Each structure stands twice: as structure tokens, then as C-alpha cells.
């Protein structure tokens, strides 16, 4: 078992971690359609989307339809843009949204993954 000092150290490490924040993209290899989302932790964002799609519960009907037709292998997962930030505890949603708008403007086949 962990002692109090170890638990405290792990909690502090977790609080001070700096996950990659940015715009995540799922692009259908067949149609070229891209779905862009924002994530305060890109790895966790991809995991969450995969889980929703795999269970058939993703709110984006078009994305869910393409996933059903082509499966996970039919998609390219990538980080479209990374947000540079200083304080991991600060709210970065506005900056992430701005970054996504820039990515949407650069790709005519891209839409927001959720409204």
C-alpha cells in the first residue's frame, strides 16, 4: 500500500502535469470529411471519442454513420493544432475554440465534431 507521502506526491504530480491541449481531428479516409474537436488533453479526448463511437453513442450523427460504415481503421486520428500554454490549471476553452476556428477555416472538408 501507498503511504501518505507517496499519495501526496502523486496528487501533486497529477495537478502539475501538462497534458497536450489542442484541436483533435478525425478524418474519414474514404470521404475526406474531417471532424474537429477541442481537447484539454488530446490523448483523453481521442479515448473518449473512440469509446462513444464504438458504443454507437456519439452525438454527431454523420460521424457515427461513417464510423459504422468504415470502422476505426477507416479514420485517421491526428492533432490538427497544439495550444501553447503556461498554466495547466487555467481555463483554456476560449483559446482552444479560436484555434479550432482557424483549423476549420483552413480545411473546407472539416466541421465541428460537436456543436
Amino acid at each position: 500500500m501507498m503511504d501518505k507521502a507517496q499519495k501526496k506526491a502523486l496528487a501533486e504530480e497529477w495537478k502539475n502535469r501538462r497534458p497536450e491541449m489542442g484541436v483533435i481531428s478525425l478524418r474519414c479516409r474514404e470521404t475526406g470529411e474531417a471532424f474537429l474537436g477541442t481537447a484539454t488533453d488530446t490523448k483523453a479526448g481521442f479515448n473518449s471519442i473512440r469509446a462513444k463511437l464504438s458504443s454507437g453513442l456519439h452525438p454527431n450523427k454523420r460521424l457515427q454513420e461513417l464510423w459504422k460504415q468504415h470502422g476505426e481503421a477507416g479514420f485517421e486520428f491526428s492533432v490538427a493544432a497544439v495550444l501553447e500554454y503556461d498554466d495547466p490549471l487555467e481555463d483554456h476553452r476560449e483559446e482552444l475554440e479560436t484555434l479550432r476556428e482557424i483549423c476549420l477555416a483552413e480545411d473546407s472538408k472539416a466541421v465541428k465534431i460537436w456543436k
Side-chain angles (χ1 to χ4, degrees), residues 1-67:
M1 285 186 74
M2 263 194 273
D3 66 21
K4 263 187 168 175
Q6 286 174 308
K7 281 184 182 176
K8 189 175 180 176
L10 276 176
E12 195 62 29
E13 191 178 305
W14 174 256
K15 194 174 84 176
N16 293 322
R17 71 190 184 97
R18 293 179 53 85
E20 180 180 71
M21 290 189 196
V23 178
I24 56 178
S25 169
L26 277 79
R27 184 176 301 274
C28 179
R29 297 178 196 279
E30 185 72 26
T31 67
E33 291 168 84
F35 300 86
L36 304 182
T38 60
T40 54
D41 181 334
T42 57
K43 285 184 180 72
F46 283 129
N47 289 340
S48 172
I49 292 167
R50 270 191 189 97
K52 285 182 179 116
L53 287 166
S54 295
S55 59
L57 299 172
H58 199 282
N60 187 312
K61 301 251 183 282
R62 177 64 181 154
L63 175 57
Q64 187 67 64
E65 180 186 309
L66 289 169
W67 186 271

